[in-house]
Amino acid sequence: MSSSGALASSPVRRPEQHSQQRRPQRRPEREPAALAMRIGLAAAEAALATFARHIDLDELADGDVDFEGAIGPAEWPVFSLVIDTLAETHAGDGRTLDERRADALNDLARICMAAKSRAATA
C-alpha cells in the first residue's frame, strides 16, 4: 500500500472528538507555572553561584565592583538577566544603580536560601 493510501485509511478525528477526549492529569510540579518558577529558581541559583565564584567581597564592600568585568562572558547573560530583573527601577526610586544592584544581590541570596530551606522541609 502506498503512503497516500495509508494516510487515507487512517482515522481522522474531528475537533469535537478532541474536546470529548480526556487529557491525562498533569502532576502539580509539571504545570507550566511550576516549571517556569523552577526555571527562574535555577537561574537565580546559577547567578548566585556565579557571583560567589567571581566577586571579591572586599571590592564589593568598597563599592567598586565591575560586575561585567568580574563575571565571565559565558555566565554573564544569566547573571545579568537575574540581577537586572531584581534591580529594576520603579517610579520614585531614588537609588543609584549600584544601590539597586546591592539590594538585588541581597534579594537573590534570600530567594536562594528560602528555596533551599523549603526544599529541605519538603
Side-chain angles (χ1 to χ4, degrees):
M1 181 187 295
S2 71
S3 62
S4 62
L7 290 175
S9 66
S10 64
V12 176
R13 293 186 180 150
R14 296 186 180 137
E16 63 272 5
Q17 287 176 324
H18 285 291
S19 63
Q20 293 172 355
Q21 289 180 342
R22 185 173 175 173
R23 292 183 178 170
Q25 287 289 341
R26 286 190 196 134
R27 296 187 322 257
E29 66 272 9
R30 298 294 304 163
E31 287 296 323
L35 292 172
M37 287 174 49
R38 273 208 248 137
I39 290 168
L41 181 58
E45 289 173 338
L48 186 61
T50 296
F51 171 78
R53 277 193 307 275
H54 298 290
I55 301 296
D56 181 350
L57 295 179
D58 292 332
E59 287 180 13
L60 184 63
D62 294 340
D64 296 329
V65 177
D66 174 20
F67 284 102
E68 195 164 356
I71 305 298
E75 295 174 304
W76 177 252
V78 171
F79 180 80
S80 174
L81 172 69
V82 171
I83 292 300
D84 289 347
T85 299
L86 293 173
E88 180 183 19
T89 186
H90 301 285
D93 188 352
R95 298 175 298 161
T96 66
L97 177 60
D98 286 339
E99 290 171 325
R100 291 194 322 267
R101 281 184 169 168
D103 288 343
L105 289 169
N106 288 329
D107 291 342
L108 179 59
R110 285 193 351 250
I111 290 167
C112 292
M113 294 303 293
K116 184 177 179 178
S117 68
R118 185 170 184 214
T121 61

